[in-house]
Amino acid sequence: MAQSPGDAAFARVPELIAAGDLAGAEAQSRACIAVEPDHPRAWFTLADILTQRGAFADAERALQEQLAKRPTVEGHIVLAQMRERVGRLRAAEDVYLQILRELPKHGTALMAIAEFYGRNEAGREALKYWKRIMDLAPGDIRLSLAHAQALLETA
């Protein structure tokens, strides 16, 4: 199967990042977006690179632009994680809660907010979401272990 022009332009980005060439990876991500404006991996990678460079406003703008074109739960989770990385915890929480207002049983979003609360010393809130996850997948051993760990951390 032939690559799309965007995929071809994006192909070098992971190797540039691995080599520590963030400027090159940023330029290549922007080149990908120029040929395929809806290439989600390029937008998310660009936002991550901008965050690493400390250009938080530019990173958020890049994510918001992509989400306006193609709103996805995963994209909103990336936005929340980016906000968390820069210390905007309330703004990150707001994104997670908005997702769950629209999709209250979305497993990935439930896990993301449970982990968010766990990382940010809100164990009781984390437990509430782990419980919801367990109710959705009661037989999942991995989730049961994560729930048990969250219980121990709040004890």
Side-chain angles (χ1 to χ4, degrees):
M1 178 194 261
Q3 283 186 323
S4 72
D7 286 342
F10 189 78
R12 288 201 52 235
V13 172
E15 92 183 37
L16 291 167
I17 291 171
D21 183 1
L22 292 183
E26 179 182 343
Q28 200 62 37
S29 294
R30 289 184 187 280
C32 173
I33 290 165
V35 297
E36 191 176 323
D38 288 336
H39 196 282
R41 285 184 52 216
W43 280 105
F44 295 145
T45 302
L46 176 61
D48 187 53
I49 292 166
L50 293 169
T51 300
Q52 289 180 53
R53 277 199 309 118
F56 306 122
D58 292 339
E60 186 159 344
R61 215 172 4 264
L63 277 173
Q64 295 284 21
E65 189 172 331
Q66 173 57 20
L67 290 170
K69 293 176 186 177
R70 183 186 285 171
T72 63
V73 170
E74 292 74 18
H76 281 89
I77 289 172
V78 169
L79 176 63
Q81 291 168 339
M82 187 213 62
R83 287 177 174 175
E84 180 184 1
R85 281 175 55 189
V86 300
R88 295 179 56 209
L89 300 182
R90 183 66 192 156
E93 180 183 39
D94 288 345
V95 172
Y96 288 125
L97 293 173
Q98 179 60 39
I99 295 167
L100 292 171
R101 274 191 292 276
E102 294 176 22
L103 300 165
K105 293 183 178 184
H106 194 284
T108 302
L110 286 166
M111 188 172 294
I113 196 169
E115 291 171 347
F116 165 79
Y117 284 130
R119 285 189 301 274
N120 292 289
E121 300 178 16
R124 297 255 178 246
E125 286 299 308
L127 279 177
K128 181 169 69 174
Y129 288 97
W130 280 114
K131 170 87 172 84
R132 286 175 59 183
I133 293 166
M134 293 305 303
D135 290 345
L136 291 174
D140 189 316
I141 298 299
R142 182 180 58 89
L143 294 177
S144 296
L145 291 172
H147 184 237
Q149 181 179 354
L151 282 169
L152 287 172
E153 290 171 358
T154 58

Short mmCIF file of all heavy atoms in Angstrom, two decimals, residues 15-52:
data_model
loop_
_atom_site.label_atom_id
_atom_site.label_comp_id
_atom_site.label_asym_id
_atom_site.label_seq_id
_atom_site.Cartn_x
_atom_site.Cartn_y
_atom_site.Cartn_z
N GLU A 15 12.50 9.36 13.87
CA GLU A 15 13.97 9.20 13.93
C GLU A 15 14.64 10.53 14.31
O GLU A 15 15.64 10.54 15.02
CB GLU A 15 14.53 8.61 12.64
CG GLU A 15 14.96 9.59 11.60
CD GLU A 15 15.45 8.95 10.30
OE1 GLU A 15 14.91 7.93 9.87
OE2 GLU A 15 16.38 9.53 9.72
N LEU A 16 14.09 11.65 13.84
CA LEU A 16 14.63 12.95 14.23
C LEU A 16 14.47 13.18 15.73
O LEU A 16 15.38 13.68 16.39
CB LEU A 16 13.95 14.07 13.43
CG LEU A 16 14.28 14.11 11.94
CD1 LEU A 16 13.31 15.03 11.20
CD2 LEU A 16 15.73 14.54 11.73
N ILE A 17 13.31 12.81 16.26
CA ILE A 17 13.08 12.95 17.70
C ILE A 17 14.05 12.06 18.47
O ILE A 17 14.66 12.50 19.45
CB ILE A 17 11.61 12.62 18.05
CG1 ILE A 17 10.69 13.71 17.49
CG2 ILE A 17 11.43 12.49 19.56
CD1 ILE A 17 9.21 13.39 17.58
N ALA A 18 14.19 10.80 18.03
CA ALA A 18 15.11 9.87 18.70
C ALA A 18 16.54 10.39 18.70
O ALA A 18 17.30 10.16 19.65
CB ALA A 18 15.02 8.50 18.05
N ALA A 19 16.91 11.11 17.64
CA ALA A 19 18.27 11.66 17.53
C ALA A 19 18.41 12.98 18.31
O ALA A 19 19.48 13.57 18.34
CB ALA A 19 18.63 11.88 16.06
N GLY A 20 17.31 13.45 18.89
CA GLY A 20 17.35 14.69 19.66
C GLY A 20 17.25 15.94 18.82
O GLY A 20 17.48 17.05 19.31
N ASP A 21 16.89 15.78 17.56
CA ASP A 21 16.78 16.93 16.65
C ASP A 21 15.33 17.44 16.65
O ASP A 21 14.57 17.21 15.72
CB ASP A 21 17.22 16.53 15.24
CG ASP A 21 17.21 17.67 14.25
OD1 ASP A 21 16.88 18.82 14.65
OD2 ASP A 21 17.51 17.42 13.07
N LEU A 22 14.97 18.14 17.73
CA LEU A 22 13.59 18.63 17.84
C LEU A 22 13.29 19.69 16.79
O LEU A 22 12.16 19.75 16.29
CB LEU A 22 13.32 19.16 19.23
CG LEU A 22 13.30 18.12 20.36
CD1 LEU A 22 12.95 18.78 21.69
CD2 LEU A 22 12.34 16.99 20.06
N ALA A 23 14.27 20.51 16.45
CA ALA A 23 14.05 21.54 15.42
C ALA A 23 13.74 20.86 14.08
O ALA A 23 12.82 21.27 13.36
CB ALA A 23 15.25 22.46 15.30
N GLY A 24 14.49 19.82 13.76
CA GLY A 24 14.24 19.09 12.52
C GLY A 24 12.90 18.38 12.54
O GLY A 24 12.17 18.37 11.55
N ALA A 25 12.56 17.78 13.70
CA ALA A 25 11.28 17.09 13.83
C ALA A 25 10.12 18.08 13.73
O ALA A 25 9.09 17.78 13.11
CB ALA A 25 11.22 16.34 15.16
N GLU A 26 10.29 19.26 14.31
CA GLU A 26 9.25 20.29 14.20
C GLU A 26 9.07 20.71 12.74
O GLU A 26 7.95 20.80 12.24
CB GLU A 26 9.60 21.50 15.05
CG GLU A 26 8.57 22.60 14.97
CD GLU A 26 8.92 23.84 15.78
OE1 GLU A 26 9.79 23.78 16.66
OE2 GLU A 26 8.31 24.89 15.51
N ALA A 27 10.19 20.97 12.06
CA ALA A 27 10.11 21.39 10.66
C ALA A 27 9.46 20.31 9.80
O ALA A 27 8.63 20.60 8.94
CB ALA A 27 11.51 21.73 10.13
N GLN A 28 9.81 19.06 10.06
CA GLN A 28 9.25 17.95 9.27
C GLN A 28 7.76 17.77 9.59
O GLN A 28 6.97 17.48 8.69
CB GLN A 28 10.04 16.67 9.55
CG GLN A 28 9.89 15.62 8.49
CD GLN A 28 10.40 16.06 7.12
OE1 GLN A 28 11.40 16.76 6.99
NE2 GLN A 28 9.68 15.66 6.09
N SER A 29 7.37 17.95 10.85
CA SER A 29 5.95 17.87 11.21
C SER A 29 5.17 18.96 10.50
O SER A 29 4.08 18.73 9.97
CB SER A 29 5.77 18.01 12.73
OG SER A 29 6.33 16.91 13.40
N ARG A 30 5.74 20.16 10.47
CA ARG A 30 5.07 21.27 9.78
C ARG A 30 4.99 21.00 8.27
O ARG A 30 3.98 21.32 7.63
CB ARG A 30 5.79 22.58 10.05
CG ARG A 30 5.60 23.06 11.49
CD ARG A 30 6.25 24.42 11.71
NE ARG A 30 6.24 24.82 13.09
CZ ARG A 30 5.21 25.35 13.73
NH1 ARG A 30 4.06 25.54 13.11
NH2 ARG A 30 5.31 25.70 15.01
N ALA A 31 6.02 20.38 7.70
CA ALA A 31 6.00 20.02 6.28
C ALA A 31 4.90 19.00 6.01
O ALA A 31 4.20 19.08 4.99
CB ALA A 31 7.37 19.48 5.85
N CYS A 32 4.75 18.06 6.92
CA CYS A 32 3.68 17.06 6.78
C CYS A 32 2.32 17.74 6.80
O CYS A 32 1.46 17.45 5.97
CB CYS A 32 3.80 16.04 7.92
SG CYS A 32 2.44 14.88 8.00
N ILE A 33 2.12 18.66 7.74
CA ILE A 33 0.84 19.37 7.86
C ILE A 33 0.58 20.21 6.61
O ILE A 33 -0.57 20.32 6.17
CB ILE A 33 0.84 20.23 9.14
CG1 ILE A 33 0.78 19.29 10.36
CG2 ILE A 33 -0.32 21.22 9.14
CD1 ILE A 33 1.12 19.97 11.68
N ALA A 34 1.64 20.73 6.01
CA ALA A 34 1.47 21.54 4.79
C ALA A 34 0.91 20.71 3.64
O ALA A 34 0.10 21.20 2.86
CB ALA A 34 2.81 22.17 4.39
N VAL A 35 1.33 19.43 3.56
CA VAL A 35 0.84 18.59 2.46
C VAL A 35 -0.42 17.81 2.83
O VAL A 35 -1.17 17.40 1.96
CB VAL A 35 1.92 17.62 1.91
CG1 VAL A 35 3.07 18.38 1.31
CG2 VAL A 35 2.38 16.63 2.96
N GLU A 36 -0.64 17.59 4.13
CA GLU A 36 -1.83 16.87 4.60
C GLU A 36 -2.32 17.54 5.88
O GLU A 36 -1.98 17.11 6.99
CB GLU A 36 -1.51 15.40 4.83
CG GLU A 36 -2.74 14.54 5.05
CD GLU A 36 -2.40 13.06 5.17
OE1 GLU A 36 -1.49 12.57 4.49
OE2 GLU A 36 -3.09 12.41 5.97
N PRO A 37 -3.10 18.61 5.74
CA PRO A 37 -3.51 19.41 6.90
C PRO A 37 -4.26 18.67 8.01
O PRO A 37 -4.29 19.13 9.13
CB PRO A 37 -4.40 20.50 6.29
CG PRO A 37 -3.97 20.58 4.87
CD PRO A 37 -3.57 19.18 4.49
N ASP A 38 -4.83 17.52 7.71
CA ASP A 38 -5.57 16.77 8.73
C ASP A 38 -4.78 15.58 9.28
O ASP A 38 -5.36 14.70 9.90
CB ASP A 38 -6.89 16.26 8.14
CG ASP A 38 -7.89 17.38 7.94
OD1 ASP A 38 -7.77 18.41 8.63
OD2 ASP A 38 -8.78 17.22 7.10
N HIS A 39 -3.47 15.57 9.11
CA HIS A 39 -2.64 14.45 9.58
C HIS A 39 -2.54 14.53 11.11
O HIS A 39 -1.79 15.34 11.64
CB HIS A 39 -1.26 14.52 8.94
CG HIS A 39 -0.49 13.25 9.06
ND1 HIS A 39 0.15 12.87 10.22
CD2 HIS A 39 -0.28 12.26 8.16
CE1 HIS A 39 0.74 11.71 10.02
NE2 HIS A 39 0.49 11.32 8.79
N PRO A 40 -3.31 13.70 11.84
CA PRO A 40 -3.37 13.86 13.29
C PRO A 40 -2.05 13.60 14.00
O PRO A 40 -1.70 14.30 14.95
CB PRO A 40 -4.45 12.87 13.72
CG PRO A 40 -4.59 11.91 12.61
CD PRO A 40 -4.17 12.63 11.36
N ARG A 41 -1.30 12.60 13.57
CA ARG A 41 -0.02 12.32 14.26
C ARG A 41 0.92 13.50 14.14
O ARG A 41 1.64 13.81 15.09
CB ARG A 41 0.62 11.05 13.69
CG ARG A 41 -0.10 9.80 14.18
CD ARG A 41 0.54 8.51 13.71
NE ARG A 41 1.95 8.44 14.00
CZ ARG A 41 2.83 7.85 13.20
NH1 ARG A 41 2.46 7.30 12.07
NH2 ARG A 41 4.10 7.82 13.52
N ALA A 42 0.91 14.18 13.00
CA ALA A 42 1.79 15.34 12.84
C ALA A 42 1.39 16.45 13.79
O ALA A 42 2.24 17.10 14.41
CB ALA A 42 1.77 15.82 11.39
N TRP A 43 0.09 16.70 13.92
CA TRP A 43 -0.39 17.75 14.84
C TRP A 43 -0.03 17.42 16.27
O TRP A 43 0.45 18.28 17.02
CB TRP A 43 -1.91 17.92 14.70
CG TRP A 43 -2.31 18.74 13.52
CD1 TRP A 43 -2.85 18.27 12.35
CD2 TRP A 43 -2.20 20.16 13.36
NE1 TRP A 43 -3.09 19.31 11.49
CE2 TRP A 43 -2.70 20.49 12.09
CE3 TRP A 43 -1.73 21.19 14.19
CZ2 TRP A 43 -2.76 21.79 11.62
CZ3 TRP A 43 -1.79 22.49 13.71
CH2 TRP A 43 -2.29 22.78 12.44
N PHE A 44 -0.29 16.18 16.69
CA PHE A 44 -0.01 15.80 18.07
C PHE A 44 1.49 15.83 18.35
O PHE A 44 1.92 16.26 19.42
CB PHE A 44 -0.59 14.43 18.39
CG PHE A 44 -2.10 14.39 18.32
CD1 PHE A 44 -2.76 13.26 17.88
CD2 PHE A 44 -2.87 15.48 18.71
CE1 PHE A 44 -4.15 13.22 17.81
CE2 PHE A 44 -4.26 15.45 18.65
CZ PHE A 44 -4.89 14.31 18.20
N THR A 45 2.28 15.38 17.40
CA THR A 45 3.73 15.42 17.56
C THR A 45 4.22 16.85 17.62
O THR A 45 5.07 17.20 18.44
CB THR A 45 4.42 14.64 16.42
OG1 THR A 45 3.94 13.29 16.44
CG2 THR A 45 5.93 14.64 16.57
N LEU A 46 3.69 17.70 16.74
CA LEU A 46 4.07 19.11 16.76
C LEU A 46 3.75 19.73 18.12
O LEU A 46 4.58 20.43 18.71
CB LEU A 46 3.35 19.87 15.64
CG LEU A 46 3.60 21.39 15.61
CD1 LEU A 46 5.07 21.71 15.41
CD2 LEU A 46 2.73 22.03 14.52
N ALA A 47 2.58 19.45 18.64
CA ALA A 47 2.20 19.99 19.96
C ALA A 47 3.14 19.48 21.05
O ALA A 47 3.55 20.24 21.93
CB ALA A 47 0.75 19.62 20.28
N ASP A 48 3.52 18.22 20.97
CA ASP A 48 4.45 17.66 21.96
C ASP A 48 5.82 18.33 21.86
O ASP A 48 6.42 18.68 22.88
CB ASP A 48 4.57 16.15 21.78
CG ASP A 48 5.38 15.52 22.89
OD1 ASP A 48 5.03 15.74 24.07
OD2 ASP A 48 6.35 14.80 22.59
N ILE A 49 6.31 18.52 20.65
CA ILE A 49 7.61 19.18 20.45
C ILE A 49 7.55 20.61 20.99
O ILE A 49 8.48 21.07 21.69
CB ILE A 49 8.01 19.17 18.96
CG1 ILE A 49 8.31 17.74 18.51
CG2 ILE A 49 9.20 20.09 18.71
CD1 ILE A 49 8.39 17.58 17.00
N LEU A 50 6.49 21.32 20.67
CA LEU A 50 6.34 22.70 21.15
C LEU A 50 6.29 22.74 22.68
O LEU A 50 6.87 23.63 23.31
CB LEU A 50 5.10 23.35 20.54
CG LEU A 50 5.17 23.59 19.03
CD1 LEU A 50 3.79 23.97 18.48
CD2 LEU A 50 6.21 24.64 18.68
N THR A 51 5.63 21.76 23.28
CA THR A 51 5.59 21.68 24.74
C THR A 51 6.99 21.46 25.30
O THR A 51 7.39 22.12 26.26
CB THR A 51 4.64 20.55 25.20
OG1 THR A 51 3.33 20.83 24.72
CG2 THR A 51 4.60 20.42 26.71
N GLN A 52 7.74 20.55 24.69
CA GLN A 52 9.11 20.29 25.14
C GLN A 52 9.99 21.52 25.02
O GLN A 52 10.90 21.72 25.83
CB GLN A 52 9.72 19.13 24.35
CG GLN A 52 9.11 17.79 24.69
CD GLN A 52 9.74 16.67 23.90
OE1 GLN A 52 10.96 16.53 23.90
NE2 GLN A 52 8.92 15.88 23.23
#
